[in-house]
Amino acid sequence: MKSDGLLTHKTEVHYRTCPLCEATCGLEIHTANQDILTIRGDSEDPFSRGYLCPKGFSLKEFHADPDRIKKPMVRRGTEWHEVTWEDAFAEIRKRLLPIMKEHGPDSVGIYLGNPYAHNLSAQLYAPMFIRAIGTRNRFSASTVDQIPKQLSTELMFGGNFNIPVPDIDRTNYMLVIGANPLVSNGSLLTAPNMRSRIKALKNRGGKLVVIDPVRTVTAKVADEHHFIRPGTDALFLFALVHTLFEDGLVNSGRLTEHLIGLDEVRALAQEFSPEAVSPLCGIPADTIRRLAREVASAPTAAVYGRMGTCTQAYGTINSWLVDVLNILTGNLDRPGGVMFPKPAAATSSGKRRRIRYGRFHSRVRNMPEVIGELPAVCMAEEMEVPGPGQIKAFITIAGNPALSTPNGNRLQKAFENLEFMISIDCYINETTRHAHVFLPAPSPLERSHYDLIFYQLSVRNMAHYSPPVFELPADQLDEWEILLNLTAILSEKELGSDPVKALDDFAIMQLIQQEVKNPNSTIAGREPKEIMSQLNAERGPERMLDFLLRVGPYGDHFGSNPEGLSLAVLKANPHGVDLGPLVPRIPEILATPSGKIELAPDLLVEDEKRLRKTLRASPRENMVLVGRRNLRSNNSWFHNIETLVNGDNQCTLWIHPDDAARLGLSNGDEAVVTSRTGKIQVPVKVTEDVMPGVISLPHGWGHHLPGIRLETANRHAGVNSNILSDELAVDELSGNAILNGIPVVVMKSHPETVKRISKS
Ligand SMILES: Nc1nc2c(c(=O)[nH]1)N[C@H]1C(S)=C(S)[C@@H](COP(=O)(O)OP(=O)(O)OC[C@H]3O[C@@H](n4cnc5c(=O)[nH]c(N)nc54)[C@H](O)[C@@H]3O)O[C@H]1N2
Ligand SMILES: Nc1nc2c(c(=O)[nH]1)N[C@H]1C(S)=C(S)[C@@H](COP(=O)(O)OP(=O)(O)OC[C@H]3O[C@@H](n4cnc5c(=O)[nH]c(N)nc54)[C@H](O)[C@@H]3O)O[C@H]1N2
Ligand code: SF4
Ligand SMILES: [Mo]
């Protein structure tokens, strides 16, 4: 869609889903011409019912941000030059192709950042581009986030997105481990307005228990909160499993016939008695026993673990044990327990397949691939170490790994030495300042939206399509057009005069052909051309989405279910369509090679030996660092919005009064925190909300670096916590980064240290 520059002089109301986090809130946006008058919560959105957090409102400021880059740019030395799209693509052709020709496809690395998961265009069109490169050096935010959960569910249920979500609206008991949904608004748990959902849980007599080394906002509204020593959740979880077996509380109910591996789990849990783990995790043994009994005896219960459980040394074991607990207590796949959503936009699946793990390994550290990607902690070494397969060119799409991934300093140096770098982004930030070609992504309000990923994780089945609020400016390409132009550069096929059109037609035709070949499909055996002719006349993501909705479980199945969903139906329902509460999906959803729920997958049984060793370790003495989120912040971006960053400094180090007293630190003092990888200096906040021995610092800050174009963020720079996180410390099974429980030394800063740090 292109604007012809004519203004229509009318006020309009647009309804759309907020693309900033997993909560998928409905927005009501009032505009006049090209201006946003107000943004408020859409009270008619059947899912969010008017709820909005401060970030949702701030899309107005983001859209208008003068620092947002709107023209393609090429960097020569430290100078950026605005260029035409043609010239930007020509530069890429000139510089990328020779690198690939000389060094092969693995010489190009790519990082997909978090907003990729919130971007329909990018999700539908980046895979084709990545296939065209053909590189194994694919990285994303998943390996600094939830890949352990994706791996555990791939192993247990045969799908990395077969992730059961807590049925928060119907449960009687919720055990939340290492998550702070009142601040994060939920993760791997799409449920707008968490506060009202938790309130409803409590109003119907339900109980909320939180396990976290920090007394978080969520912990404060819970019925019970227990501090846990960071990194010890696997011990705690195993002790819960142990208690279920010991007390004869295992009752997997309807699932029993679909399970294998129960005896192995029983044997594995044997050693992890509450008494054995208690001194290590810091939770009394009788509390562990009581919690296990409560989960088992509640009419329904949901055990839920998130960032705190994934981003640590036993992230995959934790993710697995959370679901083991749900299974052993009969809570998997039943209302009020944890359930598998049934998203509307989906191709058919159900085929059993090989587990996607370790099919190739990273070159330098020999880390296994997980679901097609390598760990983000390997990026720097793959750029640094010479030899065949060394990354010489790098592409970032919607990511700021300089601030988001471990040992940010090392990665930045590696960026400096690349031969060529391309970034598709909104800002020149700590990462994209290293790019040679910068391709601007449109504002979220200039593109359409549909949450392909988050409806797979949603506590109700929903479908909401958002058309763009504003027409794309005449000189802006949509993200899918950018990606198809890049694909065309790499394509060996003759694409004619309109390569974007040719590739788009090819992509949809391929999708249709695959689908009609699948015997499980709602359009199995149909003629691809006939399907194609029925599709929505628009091109790009709209046509793809129309296809996915129509073949999906609620779709019109191209005629055989005429009342079903299509893009046209969603367009006619601007507030979204409620497809109802979650429904049981086992065995239909199981796609493991055995066709069963694998309760004791080999890889996890093997990994348990690593954990077992820690049982004999003495409790750790050193201070450890954990992360935290703030309602007014969004990972490493959204710090350029004045209304979100003014007020109290968000980037402070929380420390317990006992530790502060020992170290001579008071509120507002500067502390120096050192880890194996680096040193930072940060003001402290003394608070009993953090466990003794633990300090908490948010990530995504450190906007003081030269060459960035973030005027407001620069004035509220903060420090980069990922200078301290260690790229060599990982969950060995999944390769996920350890971002919580990082060993550190904390000191009060002295004038000399201040000088040294400010110089570095
Ligand atoms: N220490 C520590 N580190 C962490 C975490 C932690 O808890 N502690 N959390 C981790 C987690 S969970 C995640 S997900 C990662 C996130 O880290 P990243 O994957 O780096 O993602 P963001 O920090 O959100 O950066 C998003 C970038 O995308 C750009 N952008 C925004 N919208 C669009 C768009 O529509 N298109 C394009 N092309 N670009 C866009 C923004 O300008 C910004 O540069 O950080 C991880 N890092
Ligand atoms: N406002 C806001 N919302 C966001 C984001 C944001 O940056 N800001 N980011 C989004 C993204 S990308 C994600 S992935 C989600 C994350 O969503 P959540 O996982 O809900 O959010 P976190 O704040 O990372 O919560 C992790 C919790 O784990 C605790 N923790 C740390 N170490 C341990 C440990 O060893 N054991 C246990 N049990 N707990 C531990 C931390 O103290 C913290 O409270 O949030 C999303 N929503
Ligand atoms: S909670 Fe998430 S989806 Fe809802 S308004 Fe805030 S950022 Fe947007
Ligand atoms: Mo994330």
Side-chain angles (χ1 to χ4, degrees):
M1 239 202 297
K2 304 273 157 126
S3 140
D4 58 6
L6 293 175
L7 299 182
T8 44
H9 291 288
K10 59 174 186 214
T11 57
E12 282 180 278
V13 184
H14 311 259
Y15 299 99
R16 62 167 296 148
T17 310
C18 173
L20 294 176
C21 89
E22 303 182 36
T24 72
C25 300
L27 306 177
E28 182 183 306
I29 305 179
H30 295 249
T31 61
N33 306 322
Q34 292 304 299
D35 297 321
I36 301 167
L37 302 174
T38 54
I39 297 184
R40 53 173 84 119
D42 175 8
S43 54
E44 287 178 62
D45 182 294
F47 203 18
S48 61
R49 300 175 195 277
Y51 173 80
L52 212 57
C53 86
K55 292 196 296 287
F57 293 110
S58 313
L59 275 170
K60 177 174 190 277
E61 283 76 25
F62 173 76
H63 181 74
D65 187 349
D67 286 344
R68 196 161 60 75
I69 307 291
K70 302 194 180 86
K71 297 272 188 329
M73 297 205 288
V74 168
R75 182 172 62 83
R76 310 251 181 246
T78 53
E79 297 278 305
W80 284 101
H81 303 273
E82 280 184 9
V83 295
T84 61
W85 285 96
E86 289 70 24
D87 287 348
F89 292 130
E91 181 81 5
I92 290 170
R93 185 185 295 276
K94 191 174 91 191
R95 296 187 61 179
L96 188 67
L97 292 186
I99 295 174
M100 289 183 69
K101 201 163 173 215
E102 190 181 339
H103 303 287
D106 291 340
S107 65
V108 184
I110 186 160
Y111 176 87
L112 303 175
N114 171 277
Y116 171 83
H118 301 266
N119 187 318
L120 178 69
S121 255
Q123 271 169 66
L124 290 173
Y125 290 88
M128 193 175 179
F129 171 50
I130 298 169
R131 273 197 304 276
I133 305 172
T135 178
R136 293 181 161 190
N137 283 316
R138 297 192 293 271
F139 309 93
S140 83
S142 296
T143 51
V144 284
D145 190 346
Q146 81 292 340
I147 209 88
K149 190 76 197 176
Q150 288 178 269
L151 177 56
S152 77
T153 55
E154 173 89 358
L155 296 171
M156 296 176 80
F157 311 117
N160 70 311
F161 265 96
N162 283 353
I163 297 177
V165 302
D167 189 9
I168 188 169
D169 296 341
R170 292 182 288 185
T171 195
N172 300 90
Y173 190 102
M174 199 159 153
L175 176 58
V176 172
I177 309 169
N180 187 10
L182 280 188
V183 169
S184 68
N185 281 296
S187 181
L188 304 184
L189 166 60
T190 287
N193 199 351
M194 206 52 83
R195 193 172 283 275
S196 81
R197 288 174 204 271
I198 288 178
K199 203 165 156 198
L201 162 77
K202 298 181 72 167
N203 285 346
R204 61 177 182 269
K207 181 168 178 178
L208 175 68
V209 179
V210 172
I211 309 290
D212 198 303
V214 178
R215 191 173 296 115
T216 59
V217 179
T218 309
K220 284 179 183 165
V221 305
D223 299 275
E224 234 178 276
H225 164 241
H226 301 280
F227 281 141
I228 186 166
R229 181 85 185 151
T232 62
D233 297 78
L235 300 171
F236 166 73
L237 288 162
F238 248 133
L240 293 175
V241 173
H242 175 102
T243 306
L244 294 179
F245 281 110
E246 190 181 55
D247 290 8
L249 294 173
V250 171
N251 179 4
S252 48
R254 184 181 72 82
L255 298 182
T256 311
E257 62 170 308
H258 301 294
L259 285 180
I260 52 174
L262 191 66
D263 291 338
E264 277 162 283
V265 172
R266 183 202 313 267
L268 291 177
Q270 196 90 42
E271 241 190 283
F272 298 88
S273 67
E275 287 70 21
V277 308
S278 173
L280 295 160
C281 67
I283 302 178
D286 56 355
T287 303
I288 300 177
R289 285 185 200 282
R290 178 174 55 78
L291 291 174
R293 289 171 192 148
E294 284 182 9
V295 173
S297 63
T300 60
V303 184
Y304 165 69
R306 205 38 288 275
M307 272 301 277
T309 58
C310 282
T311 50
Q312 49 160 285
Y314 302 98
T316 317
I317 292 193
N318 289 334
S319 302
W320 163 56
L321 291 177
V322 161
D323 285 332
V324 166
L325 281 167
N326 286 316
I327 292 167
L328 297 183
T329 53
N331 281 304
L332 179 77
D333 204 40
R334 79 164 173 199
V338 296
M339 303 191 78
F340 299 101
K342 191 171 190 163
T347 49
S348 54
S349 59
K351 277 188 296 186
R352 292 182 201 176
R353 57 173 170 232
R354 231 182 101 190
I355 298 300
R356 289 161 295 173
Y357 178 82
R359 293 166 300 176
F360 58 92
H361 288 76
S362 74
R363 182 180 63 109
V364 178
R365 216 189 300 181
N366 202 34
M367 290 299 297
E369 149 271 350
V370 182
I371 328 284
E373 63 178 78
L374 291 170
V377 290
C378 296
M379 288 189 293
E381 65 202 24
E382 293 298 334
M383 294 174 195
E384 289 164 355
V385 177
Q390 179 187 10
I391 297 175
K392 306 245 174 195
F394 202 69
I395 302 165
T396 65
I397 303 179
N400 190 2
L403 295 192
S404 316
T405 68
N407 201 347
N409 282 343
R410 179 176 177 189
L411 184 62
Q412 301 233 14
K413 280 201 197 83
F415 282 156
E416 277 167 26
N417 293 325
L418 287 168
E419 284 179 22
F420 188 51
M421 180 162 159
I422 306 167
S423 291
I424 310 180
D425 207 283
C426 313
Y427 289 115
I428 305 280
N429 60 24
E430 299 72 20
T431 296
T432 59
R433 70 192 174 119
H434 298 284
H436 299 94
V437 178
F438 181 99
L439 304 173
S443 151
L445 301 181
E446 291 163 352
R447 59 174 167 87
S448 60
H449 186 66
Y450 180 91
D451 277 296
L452 283 179
I453 291 192
F454 300 108
Y455 292 140
Q456 298 183 49
L457 300 164
S458 173
V459 300
R460 267 185 96 79
N461 292 313
M462 305 294 308
H464 190 178
Y465 167 77
S466 310
V469 172
F470 297 115
E471 290 186 357
L472 212 49
D475 52 359
Q476 172 70 57
L477 293 183
D478 207 332
E479 204 140 340
W480 65 277
E481 296 172 308
I482 300 174
L483 288 161
L484 286 183
N485 272 290
L486 292 174
T487 312
I489 292 175
L490 301 174
S491 176
E492 280 155 13
K493 279 200 245 357
E494 185 41 62
L495 297 171
S497 61
D498 191 342
V500 167
K501 180 170 174 289
L503 284 170
D504 188 30
D505 286 344
F506 175 75
I508 183 77
M509 202 47 173
Q510 219 185 17
L511 199 63
I512 298 172
Q513 280 165 348
Q514 269 165 18
E515 185 66 18
V516 294
K517 269 195 237 142
N518 187 333
N520 296 330
S521 172
T522 53
I523 56 166
R526 304 252 312 251
E527 182 51 52
K529 281 208 182 104
E530 177 242 322
I531 300 292
M532 182 83 156
S533 71
Q534 287 195 45
L535 279 172
N536 174 314
E538 288 169 82
R539 299 187 152 270
E542 272 59 32
R543 184 165 62 173
M544 289 255 196
L545 179 62
D546 190 36
F547 175 72
L548 294 172
L549 289 165
R550 293 173 72 177
V551 293
Y554 317 87
D556 74 356
H557 305 161
F558 292 90
S560 62
N561 181 32
E563 301 296 303
L565 287 187
S566 63
L567 185 59
V569 172
L570 293 194
K571 283 185 173 175
N573 289 275
H575 305 286
V577 175
D578 184 351
L579 301 164
L582 304 187
V583 292
R585 296 197 67 195
I586 285 179
E588 162 229 347
I589 200 166
L590 297 177
T592 50
S594 63
K596 301 277 184 188
I597 300 173
E598 297 272 357
L599 209 53
D602 292 344
L603 282 171
L604 287 159
V605 171
E606 186 57 30
D607 201 37
E608 184 270 345
K609 292 184 188 143
R610 189 167 61 96
L611 175 69
R612 187 171 293 236
K613 288 190 202 131
T614 67
L615 265 182
R616 278 169 278 282
S618 46
R620 280 200 308 216
E621 293 299 328
N622 53 295
M623 302 278 294
V624 290
L625 171 71
V626 300
R628 101 174 162 257
R629 286 178 154 74
N630 185 301
L631 199 53
R632 299 159 75 84
S633 168
N634 199 17
N635 294 323
S636 77
W637 66 304
F638 255 61
H639 296 162
N640 211 45
I641 314 277
E642 188 67 53
T643 48
L644 292 179
V645 289
N646 61 16
D648 287 350
N649 180 7
Q650 295 175 32
C651 191
T652 55
L653 187 80
W654 288 4
I655 186 162
H656 189 271
D658 294 351
D659 294 316
R662 186 168 46 82
L663 298 164
L665 285 162
S666 314
N667 263 333
D669 282 352
E670 297 272 324
V672 174
V673 188
T674 314
S675 74
R676 184 194 76 80
T677 53
K679 187 184 270 194
I680 59 165
Q681 184 178 323
V682 56
V684 305
K685 183 181 156 189
V686 181
T687 167
E688 292 198 332
D689 287 343
V690 60
M691 186 178 183
V694 176
I695 51 172
S696 151
L697 184 68
H699 74 283
W701 298 88
H703 307 294
H704 59 283
L705 298 173
I708 64 167
R709 292 197 188 175
L710 295 159
E711 207 267 326
T712 305
N714 188 244
R715 278 188 282 106
H716 303 265
V719 292
N720 177 5
S721 70
N722 281 316
I723 286 176
L724 299 174
S725 53
D726 189 340
E727 81 284 18
L728 300 180
V730 291
D731 168 22
E732 284 171 26
L733 188 57
S734 67
N736 203 73
I738 298 180
L739 303 172
N740 283 299
I742 300 161
V744 287
V745 174
V746 186
M747 285 188 309
K748 185 170 175 165
S749 94
H750 294 285
E752 260 313 293
T753 9
V754 181
K755 257 191 257 153
R756 269 207 314 278
I757 292 179
S758 62
K759 268 196 217 135
S760 64

